[in-house]
Amino acid sequence: MTILVTGGAGYIGSHTCVELLEKGYSVVVVDNLANSSINAIEGIKKITQKDLTFYKTDLCDKAELDKVFAEHEFDCIIHFAGLKAVPESVAMPIKYYQNNLTGTLNLCSMMKKYDVRQIIFSSSATVYRSDNTMPLTEDAHLGATNPYGWSKFMCEQILRDAAAAAKNWAVVLLRYFNPVGAHSSGIIGENPSGIPNNLMPFIAQTARGIHKEVRVFGNDYDTPDGTGVRDYIHVTDLVHGHVCAIDYAQEHRGCGVFNLGTGKGASVLEVIHAFEKTNGVEIPHSIFGRRPGDNAIALADPTKAMQVLGFKAEKTLEDMCKDTWRFQKRTP
Ligand code: NAD
Ligand code: WQD
């Protein structure tokens, strides 16, 4: 089987390429390297000792994308490519809608033109409204609070409508909770450009001495220790969910939607302490005010993914901290 991985040089995409190559799939990556580097592609080849085809192509460039489709017969697409920084999306909403929606629409056009019938889409827990009860099931109320979240919401709708019209398409929407961790080799991992927005990379950079301290955004939430609770999932577990989704797409038509999370929550202080304990490092931190737009808790109900996809996250918070730190130490 040949899989097109859009955004395959990125954090989750690169880990997925490793798993796909190790499972014997042929892999073609399209990435414009807007938020990644060619080093990730080299890293994938180093880990797997296998080759893949890489195109430095922007999904928004329809003519270039057409050439990629003309050169391969894809059995399935995994669509990771997109911009994902929430604060940047608030500052530059048009850039986010332009990139994330146009990329997805162009892919849909190519699927139609070249009769590619299966697509797995990187959605996010951010498409759930903040007033749902926890844990979140797939039928919880949808809505977003920022342009990034709305772009995911809109892409979901585009793909849902396309699947309904095409009849023979299989669309799988995967709503990720909080992916963290890195490949056990330490060769690939999350390497955000600029100052990280997300907790785990910020902790790892603080452990390296890049930042003075971690700012804990609020300790007055209605949670056991007052700090925000999230459902952190190891990136290699998350990747396994995509392999399950490929199998599901072979046998189903229409649109399926699944949460990818562990169902277990960890607070900001629990993550900091787990990182310290697992890695024998100190993470200076102090309490700051709440970050605007944050919720107290975001937790997946992973039952549907377990029952329908046969997916279960296996790795612990300690695994996530250990692998993050191994990668961070190797990163210049
Ligand atoms: P990432 O930024 O590391 O990877 C995305 C990749 O897409 C990058 O390599 C980037 O260069 C590429 N890209 C962006 N726009 C493109 C375009 N127009 N054409 C070609 N390539 C383009 O992000 P990630 O963390 O690996 O996330 C992958 C996907 O999962 C994204 O769609 C993201 O929104 C989604 N997601 C991520 C998280 C998370 O916390 N990491 C959570 C939920 C959903
Ligand atoms: C986790 C917890 C913060 C940084 C974001 C996006 C979401 C999704 C994943 C893609 C929260 C706290 C954080 C820091 C802190 N991405 N925190 N100090 O906010 O759950 O989700 O990334 O779809 O769309 O919104 O993840 O890692 O930013 O925060 O105290 O320096 O850590 O307040 O409680 P979040 P996060």
Side-chain angles (χ1 to χ4, degrees):
M1 271 181 87
T2 303
I3 316 276
L4 169 63
V5 182
T6 77
Y11 170 45
I12 305 169
S14 59
H15 289 80
T16 304
C17 290
V18 168
E19 175 87 358
L20 294 176
L21 289 169
E22 284 176 345
K23 287 216 146 33
Y25 294 101
S26 298
V27 174
V28 176
V29 168
V30 169
D31 198 307
N32 64 359
L33 304 182
N35 193 39
S36 52
S37 119
I38 195 70
N39 295 344
I41 302 295
E42 298 310 321
I44 296 164
K45 292 181 184 170
K46 192 169 170 193
I47 292 168
T48 59
Q49 296 294 308
K50 291 189 176 168
D51 210 0
L52 55 73
T53 307
F54 174 67
Y55 293 89
K56 184 176 181 299
T57 295
D58 194 319
L59 287 189
C60 298
D61 186 338
K62 207 169 176 179
E64 284 301 309
L65 191 60
D66 198 315
K67 287 186 199 161
V68 175
F69 275 76
E71 284 173 21
H72 302 272
E73 263 187 40
F74 297 121
D75 297 288
C76 182
I77 299 169
I78 310 185
H79 178 29
F80 293 106
L83 298 174
K84 64 164 185 175
V86 171
E88 189 186 52
S89 82
V90 174
M92 293 185 243
I94 308 305
K95 177 180 170 183
Y96 270 66
Y97 289 123
Q98 180 79 42
N99 190 74
N100 294 357
L101 271 67
T102 308
T104 302
L105 286 167
N106 284 349
L107 269 183
C108 289
S109 302
M110 292 303 130
M111 287 174 70
K112 202 154 182 245
K113 179 168 176 187
Y114 289 93
D115 196 24
V116 180
R117 299 174 182 181
Q118 297 169 17
I119 183 164
I120 296 164
F121 175 64
S122 299
S123 190
S124 167
T126 197
V127 300
Y128 291 116
R129 270 171 45 172
S130 55
D131 55 357
N132 286 294
T133 47
M134 295 293 152
L136 294 155
T137 54
E138 287 79 355
D139 54 8
H141 299 296
L142 301 184
T145 53
N146 57 70
Y148 164 72
W150 283 117
S151 79
K152 289 290 166 193
F153 176 97
M154 290 173 192
C155 286
E156 281 201 1
Q157 191 60 40
I158 289 167
L159 289 166
R160 213 177 275 119
D161 290 343
K167 308 278 189 264
N168 57 2
W169 279 22
V171 167
V172 187
L173 309 175
L174 298 179
R175 294 181 183 148
Y176 313 157
F177 279 66
N178 289 62
V180 295
H183 189 264
S184 58
S185 63
I187 293 173
I188 54 171
E190 186 174 17
N191 191 14
S193 51
I195 298 172
N197 298 309
N198 296 119
L199 179 65
M200 189 64 98
F202 200 95
I203 290 176
Q205 290 192 3
T206 304
R208 275 290 290 272
I210 297 169
H211 310 291
K212 192 164 65 60
E213 62 175 1
V214 174
R215 295 178 300 163
V216 176
F217 295 140
N219 69 345
D220 56 351
Y221 286 109
D222 186 14
T223 61
D225 66 15
T227 67
V229 169
R230 296 290 182 274
D231 186 334
Y232 297 94
I233 176 168
H234 196 294
V235 65
T236 57
D237 275 338
L238 189 80
V239 162
H240 181 62
H242 293 72
V243 175
C244 296
I246 294 173
D247 294 342
Y248 172 88
Q250 305 309 304
E251 292 155 18
H252 293 82
R253 295 290 162 264
C255 182
V257 51
F258 301 94
N259 287 335
L260 292 184
T262 65
K264 291 193 222 58
S267 73
V268 176
L269 290 177
E270 279 171 334
V271 177
I272 291 174
H273 293 142
F275 198 97
E276 291 183 317
K277 193 162 170 237
T278 312
N279 297 316
V281 293
E282 205 184 320
I283 309 294
H285 57 278
S286 49
I287 308 296
F288 275 66
R290 292 184 180 193
R291 186 172 65 176
D294 271 354
N295 302 328
I297 305 180
L299 210 53
D301 182 335
T303 311
K304 188 180 174 197
M306 211 181 302
Q307 289 178 346
V308 182
L309 296 181
F311 167 75
K312 188 172 186 307
E314 303 285 351
K315 298 215 170 180
T316 63
L317 183 59
E318 286 67 33
D319 297 326
M320 303 176 206
C321 294
K322 190 170 62 171
D323 292 336
T324 301
W325 184 224
R326 190 185 297 107
F327 172 71
Q328 184 67 59
K329 280 189 293 185
R330 282 181 58 116
T331 306

